[in-house]
Amino acid sequence: MQNQEKVIVIDFGGQYNQLVARRVRECNVYCEIFSYRTPIDEIKAMDPKGIILTGGPSSCYEDGAATCSPELFKLGIPVLGLCYGAELMDYVLGGNVERTKEREYGHTDIHIDTSSPLLKDVPENTTCWMSHFDYISVPAPGFKAIATTRNCPYAAIANDEEKLYGLQFHPEVLHTPYGTQMIHNFVRGICGCAGDWEMGSFVDKTVGELREKIGDGKVLLALSGGVDSSVAAGLLSRAVGKQLTCVFVDHGLLRKDEGDQVEGVFGENGSFDLNFIRVNAQDRYYKKLAGVTEPERKRKIIGEEFIRVFEEEAKKIGAVDFLAQGTIYPDVVESGLGGESAVIKSHHNVGGLPDFVDFKEIVEPLRYLFKDEVREVGRKLGIPEYLVSRQPFPGPGLGIRIIGEVTGEKVKIVQDADAIYREEVDKAAKEAAIASAANDGIIIDAENPDYKVMRKYYPAWMPDQYFAALTNMRSVGVMGDERTYDYAVALRAVKTVDFMTAESAQIPFDVLQTVMSRIINEVRGVNRVFYDLTSKPPGTIEFE
Ligand code: XMP
């Protein structure tokens, strides 16, 4: 993002680093993550209003530890060090850092100096989230303590003159109740950022930039109907209209009515100006998947077939100038391109498409946005809430929610069961949210709710991902006077922050019973419903 007031986060490999950037953006200040290896001249050239040093796994006094140039603290730019970042700043500037007797982890009471600009509007006694094995034992010259805990005489340090600050704990996690306030104090107060980063101006700015970049060129986008590609389509359509062609491949493994919903929004009768091509490839997929039961093989077939279908369409369209992708910021960071975090997964937005399309350049209009920001942009563009707030849905779709062989008949069963499940969970969560908001004197319109408000009042059990899957098991049952021998549906619902670990969500039993009885009564071919209690690990979220 050029010409945008920004704070930069220097990544030392800590696990919460994306959260730091998100918290800064919640203060309406744009922020990007860079590896600690980034040369100081490059940092200077970015002209940031502030610098935040993250946590990390090293010990700053050990050989080979992740470090930074002492010059970083002499640029006249405010610096805030968090955990390892605070220790490193102290150490580099001549203080002392030592190992604690015991690793300190979890909620910790903290006593703070409320006169510090970093701790403005924070109560004198509060709690913070600690996760460290080293601590600042001697502050660097010019620094003083501005907070203490039982084990840390320097739980927060400050050199107000130089605008250098350090927190031994993690203000970025929600377990530090006033953490966001501290980050706000730093970026808006100490760094003096105006706080003009918001999604409305992002849309205007990006549309202008896209127009300039694309000129009268042709753009091709693989539209999956997921949040990222839908929002990318909306932005590009706003920028270049009919110069954009979206290819939507319906592989027959989408959720109930999803193909029609996507076509309704982006197709001929929708509200976006673009060329929309829907490829109904269900039969091709089912044919390829016939008799295949091994999960990885299924995944591979679905991915390869997608490329083949898309390639055929791309050939019909001919050469394009730009291939658009819905890459978002976490994809960039996780691919190891932005920060320091280990490569967690290579992002699979369009599964290797670039090799199969004749194009000159890639365009990624969402490259700098976090997921919540992408959703907000979608709302600003007028994309309906059911698309914008969609749950994550895997590329191979229902293909990995049907255990064993995939057939058209099984797809229909799982689609119908899943639609009932989602409808009932959404209904119960909405009712609970409306009741809970009413207790706070806030009225949520049931017909046309403000989703931002409603989300705040969702019950604690509201899952982050929930869906039905079809087990490959058939069992005996009785319906009316007749014996049945039908499939069992499994209901999955998980609470998760990062999808790397997850807990089974505690959906109320009466809601589950309603779902069960509706599925048995309304979906032919099912006579048993299970609720999956497995955490991840050892289970995965999907079934295959
Ligand atoms: P698992 O099953 O690995 O799922 O615990 C973690 C998250 O990733 C999604 N997922 C996928 N997404 N292609 C995707 O685009 C895939 O092959 C795939 N497999 C799992 C899953 O829905 C969950 O959100």
Side-chain angles (χ1 to χ4, degrees), residues 35-91:
S35 161
Y36 71 89
R37 294 187 175 89
T38 309
I40 186 88
D41 288 338
E42 279 181 33
I43 293 174
K44 274 201 259 183
M46 292 175 216
D47 191 25
K49 298 275 280 190
I51 297 171
I52 300 181
L53 313 181
T54 73
S58 320
S59 277
C60 59
Y61 45 79
E62 278 174 358
D63 284 346
T67 189
C68 65
S69 158
E71 218 192 307
L72 191 74
F73 306 107
K74 301 199 169 73
L75 299 175
I77 300 170
V79 180
L80 172 64
L82 307 177
C83 197
Y84 180 77
E87 295 160 11
L88 181 69
M89 177 168 66
D90 185 61
Y91 184 73

Side-chain angles (χ1 to χ4, degrees), residues 3-181:
N3 310 322
Q4 170 75 47
E5 172 184 85
K6 72 171 82 137
V7 162
I8 63 170
V9 171
I10 309 242
D11 185 350
F12 289 94
Q15 58 177 324
Y16 304 128
N17 299 349
Q18 287 200 32
L19 266 185
V20 176
R22 281 178 54 180
R23 295 285 171 259
V24 173
R25 292 200 193 176
E26 280 167 20
C27 302
N28 298 107
V29 172
Y30 181 68
C31 171
E32 274 182 53
I33 304 174
F34 294 93
S35 161
Y36 71 89
R37 294 187 175 89
T38 309
I40 186 88
D41 288 338
E42 279 181 33
I43 293 174
K44 274 201 259 183
M46 292 175 216
D47 191 25
K49 298 275 280 190
I51 297 171
I52 300 181
L53 313 181
T54 73
S58 320
S59 277
C60 59
Y61 45 79
E62 278 174 358
D63 284 346
T67 189
C68 65
S69 158
E71 218 192 307
L72 191 74
F73 306 107
K74 301 199 169 73
L75 299 175
I77 300 170
V79 180
L80 172 64
L82 307 177
C83 197
Y84 180 77
E87 295 160 11
L88 181 69
M89 177 168 66
D90 185 61
Y91 184 73
V92 167
L93 294 176
N96 199 34
V97 173
E98 287 177 48
R99 181 143 293 219
T100 50
K101 284 192 204 77
E102 261 173 67
R103 176 168 184 245
E104 198 176 22
Y105 183 81
H107 287 284
T108 307
D109 291 332
I110 185 165
H111 182 77
I112 67 158
D113 172 357
T114 53
S115 69
S116 166
L118 185 67
L119 303 173
K120 197 171 148 257
D121 297 329
V122 178
E124 206 171 331
N125 293 300
T126 176
T127 56
C128 65
W129 184 259
M130 289 283 191
S131 173
H132 65 122
F133 41 77
D134 287 337
Y135 78 112
I136 297 168
S137 56
V138 179
F143 281 81
K144 62 178 181 194
I146 51 168
T148 52
T149 66
R150 198 162 61 89
N151 294 327
C152 292
Y154 301 101
I157 54 171
N159 178 339
D160 290 318
E161 207 158 297
E162 309 281 336
K163 297 197 174 174
L164 303 177
Y165 297 87
L167 300 174
Q168 180 64 72
F169 53 91
H170 290 278
E172 68 274 24
V173 301
L174 293 176
H175 307 299
T176 299
Y178 287 88
T180 304
Q181 177 68 45

Side-chain angles (χ1 to χ4, degrees), residues 299 345 348 392-397 400-401 465 467 492 496 498-500 536 539-544:
R299 264 202 169 74
K345 57 173 184 191
H348 39 219
F393 186 64
I400 56 170
R401 292 182 181 171
Q465 193 172 0
F467 55 86
R492 185 81 166 127
T496 176
D498 54 9
F499 297 87
M500 308 290 279
K536 173 182 178 176
T540 51
I541 294 175
E542 301 292 346
F543 280 67
E544 287 198 333

Side-chain angles (χ1 to χ4, degrees), residues 292-369:
V292 183
T293 55
E294 211 271 309
E296 281 313 302
R297 180 98 199 93
K298 280 162 56 174
R299 264 202 169 74
K300 200 151 183 273
I301 290 173
I302 297 168
E304 282 174 1
E305 197 57 19
F306 176 79
I307 289 176
R308 218 157 287 149
V309 174
F310 196 87
E311 192 185 4
E312 285 169 20
E313 290 307 314
K315 272 204 185 115
K316 285 186 213 159
I317 296 165
V320 294
D321 302 283
F322 297 91
L323 178 69
Q325 295 193 328
T327 316
I328 69 170
Y329 199 47
D331 299 331
V332 176
V333 177
E334 282 169 13
S335 311
L337 299 174
E340 189 52 35
S341 327
V343 176
I344 298 165
K345 57 173 184 191
S346 58
H347 73 86
H348 39 219
N349 265 315
V350 279
L353 271 186
D355 295 345
F356 296 87
V357 179
D358 187 2
F359 70 99
K360 292 193 202 116
E361 217 179 311
I362 285 186
V363 55
E364 296 174 314
L366 309 174
R367 191 179 168 79
Y368 295 105
L369 300 189

